Amino acid sequence: MALFPLSSNFERDFVLQLLPVDTENTMDEVAAAAAEHSINRRVRPQPDKVLRVRRHSNGEMFPRDMKVSEANLMPTETVDIIFADA
């Protein structure tokens, strides 16, 4: 367990956020942490969708149960948080 900084590019938000997460967080937990900074602030909720995390540089979609430590991410690397069909 270690603090790990990511840059969050949330769909439909114009602000990139520095997002401190834990290396043991799942991608669902990363998406939820990012949503705290965007949903109901600058982005409308979409209750019929799920949030997914993907690598910004190549669009690789991470499995929802993958841990940050398993994703081979670099500190402050940008991830996209997107709305997807459930």
Side-chain angles (χ1 to χ4, degrees):
M1 293 172 70
L3 194 58
F4 193 84
L6 292 172
S7 179
S8 166
N9 181 26
F10 203 95
E11 182 177 7
R12 299 193 176 125
D13 198 347
F14 63 91
V15 177
L16 288 175
Q17 298 282 332
L18 182 60
L19 184 66
V21 296
D22 191 279
T23 54
E24 293 302 305
N25 285 145
T26 65
M27 291 301 156
D28 272 357
E29 292 169 324
V30 170
E36 291 285 327
H37 300 285
S38 296
I39 299 278
N40 287 321
R41 293 180 186 219
R42 293 171 301 278
V43 178
R44 290 185 182 153
Q46 295 189 33
D48 58 326
K49 303 282 186 177
V50 295
L51 293 173
R52 297 291 309 270
V53 180
R54 70 179 177 201
R55 190 182 306 269
H56 180 75
S57 61
N58 66 8
E60 171 192 1
M61 194 74 72
F62 294 116
R64 294 176 61 192
D65 60 350
M66 176 182 271
K67 293 183 179 183
V68 171
S69 61
E70 301 166 344
N72 295 319
L73 291 164
M74 300 296 293
T76 69
E77 184 170 349
T78 301
V79 293
D80 299 327
I81 313 300
I82 63 166
F83 292 103
D85 291 330

